[in-house]
């Protein structure tokens, strides 16, 4: 399984804070994004064409090309605004 | 994990003097203490703010803050450093974040505290949501100037 | 003279939190508070220090500090600022000086606090005298690096 | 009269924190220094050949060329070391 997390505006727009996905189908983050983007317009806008999309895998900054392993935690969120 | 951690993500407010005192304890030869406190402004981009909500990514946030802190210790001769960042609901004038560093001389302390804040702004997973007096909400946009500030420290 | 003066030369110690709270009072739209505390180091140029004595020039010192403070307000958009400098006898770890500034954004606050300290070091008439464990004393020499730090701010 | 003040190492070396001098004889700070330097070797070393000599007139930074008026307060001291 893969653990998927959504934060801030992504969580609100997608109506979901987390979910689990079967790992077998996904070699890289890009594969996950492609699949999720097929869920509808909100998903496509947030995950496919969004220059603001930030990605983390296992608490480290990642890219669409980052490779995945079973049990990985993947997070999607907008640019950070703390401090 | 040591008994006293130098990265804290917490709902509770903090006291500047108390934290600085702890930070100085057990360190010899400190000549300079620089601290930064970020506070909730009552106005942002021309609009009155009544509530500010801070969301974070538990686990990744602490790791990101600790990495920034250790990077500062690699770049400057510091005796100690501390980052406290609050989460949850805050009102105007509330304290949001504290960065404090100690060093022998002021140059390193000023630079390191500034560096930590600039990197925290663009690398630590926190998100701000504003509530206006009429009840409407808005996620705060990342500022271009914060990204520019970070580039100043590229080696 | 206003009721609350933003330049204080005093024998008494100060509390960082208390001073910052006063500095923020009555000012809207503060987002950043940078403070610098200078402390007595227990070692200077390789020698143990047991007592540090601070002498000043009454009248000229206050004027010099106020001029530096006003210059900072001219250069950066600050909401408020404060300089406290202690005089008399101090021991290692004691607080000597506090510089605190508030601003909307952190850049101005960091720069202004750093500027005030750099100028204070070379322009405010204070003199330090060290006493060693054996009772001998030494007037502290001005540091070349302090003079260099000042030139960074020349316009 | 002129009010003369000595601070820090200057006060210790010259053995004096302050004194008054008649103003009539002194047009500039240089004239005061020349006169005081004649008091002996400690005075000469501190006030004549000392690159570290700092001068203030009426609480403002001054030079040897600064002109004097009756009632002026003149201070001699080493480079400052506060903060």
């Amino acid at each position: 399984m893969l653990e998927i997390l959504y934060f801030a505006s992504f969580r609100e727009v997608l109506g979901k804070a987390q979910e689990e996905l079967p790992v077998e189908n996904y070699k890289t983050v890009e594969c996950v994004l492609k699949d999720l983007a097929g869920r509808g317009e909100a998903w496509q806008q947030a995950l496919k064409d969004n220059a603001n999309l930030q990605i983390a895998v296992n608490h480290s900054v990642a890219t669409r090309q980052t490779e995945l392993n079973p049990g990985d935690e993947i997070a999607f969120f907008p640019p950070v605004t703390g401090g | 994990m040591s008994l006293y951690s130098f990265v804290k993500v917490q709902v509770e407010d903090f006291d500047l003097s108390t934290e600085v005192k702890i930070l100085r304890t057990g360190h010899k030869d400190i000549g300079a203490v620089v601290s930064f406190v970020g506070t909730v402004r009552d106005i942002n981009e021309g609009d009155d703010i009544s509530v500010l909500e801070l969301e974070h990514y538990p686990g990744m946030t602490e790791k990101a803050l600790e990495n920034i802190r250790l990077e500062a210790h690699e770049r400057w001769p510091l005796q100690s450093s501390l980052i406290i960042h609050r989460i949850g609901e805050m009102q105007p004038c509330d304290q949001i974040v504290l960065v404090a560093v100690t060093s022998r001389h002021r140059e390193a302390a000023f630079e390191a505290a500034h560096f930590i804040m600039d990197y925290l702004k663009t690398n630590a997973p926190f998100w701000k949501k504003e509530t206006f007096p009429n009840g409407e909400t808005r996620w705060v946009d990342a500022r271009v100037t914060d990204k520019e500030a970070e580039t100043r420290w590229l080696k």
Side-chain angles (χ1 to χ4, degrees), chain A, chain B:
Chain A
M1 303 292 279
L2 291 174
E3 182 86 6
I4 316 287
L5 303 177
Y6 308 94
F7 288 100
S9 55
F10 281 64
R11 176 175 43 71
E12 285 191 349
V13 165
L14 303 176
K16 190 179 278 241
Q18 72 176 101
E19 64 182 308
E20 293 192 337
L21 293 178
V23 71
E24 295 92 306
N25 313 329
Y26 307 108
K27 286 263 161 67
T28 66
V29 173
E30 181 63 39
C31 304
V32 176
L33 284 168
K34 210 166 159 185
D35 214 24
L36 295 175
R39 288 180 178 179
E41 203 181 311
W43 292 82
Q44 174 150 344
Q45 275 186 8
L47 303 179
K48 188 154 177 268
D49 308 320
N50 192 349
N52 275 335
L53 173 67
Q54 309 286 309
I55 305 163
V57 173
N58 299 330
H59 297 168
S60 291
V61 173
T63 68
R64 290 169 179 268
Q65 284 70 52
T66 301
E67 291 185 13
L68 299 175
N69 292 301
D72 279 352
E73 179 176 308
I74 309 164
F76 300 117
F77 47 81
V80 304
T81 56
Chain B
M1 269 298 180
S2 66
L3 195 65
Y4 179 74
S5 172
F6 297 103
V7 162
K8 297 193 254 182
V9 179
Q10 63 188 44
V11 172
E12 304 75 43
D13 197 10
F14 51 82
D15 178 64
L16 180 55
S17 293
T18 306
E19 298 299 337
V20 164
K21 232 165 257 166
I22 295 170
L23 194 62
R24 292 179 56 194
T25 302
H27 292 275
K28 312 249 309 171
D29 206 16
I30 288 177
V33 183
V34 170
S35 48
F36 173 91
V37 176
T39 57
V40 182
R41 293 168 53 210
D42 44 6
I43 299 170
N44 192 22
E45 295 181 15
D47 299 311
D48 284 354
I49 307 301
S50 52
V51 178
L52 188 73
E53 206 181 324
L54 255 296
E55 179 176 335
H56 81 302
Y57 181 174
M60 181 172 175
T61 306
E62 292 80 354
K63 185 181 162 187
L65 294 178
E66 182 66 7
N67 284 344
I68 296 168
R69 208 178 66 81
L70 295 178
E71 174 74 20
H73 279 260
E74 273 186 28
R75 293 190 184 209
W76 291 278
L78 307 179
Q79 318 294 71
S80 57
S81 64
L82 169 71
I83 305 174
I84 300 178
H85 203 299
R86 294 180 66 200
I87 51 173
E89 278 200 8
M90 279 160 258
Q91 272 77 42
C93 296
D94 281 357
Q95 303 183 118
I96 306 174
V97 58
L98 167 65
V99 167
V101 305
T102 70
S103 185
R104 288 178 69 188
H105 299 295
R106 69 187 182 286
E107 187 68 22
F110 271 116
E111 293 272 301
H114 200 162
F115 165 85
I116 290 173
M117 271 312 299
D118 282 351
Y119 263 57
L120 185 159
K121 281 271 179 186
T122 48
N123 291 286
F126 291 101
W127 300 275
K128 281 180 185 153
K129 187 187 198 173
E130 299 166 332
T131 302
F132 304 113
N134 66 6
E136 282 179 29
T137 63
R138 170 176 73 186
W139 287 98
V140 173
D141 273 335
R143 295 169 68 216
V144 176
T145 51
D146 283 336
K147 208 64 196 164
E148 289 166 356
E150 184 191 356
T151 63
R152 183 158 95 82
W153 305 101
L154 291 177
K155 285 195 280 203

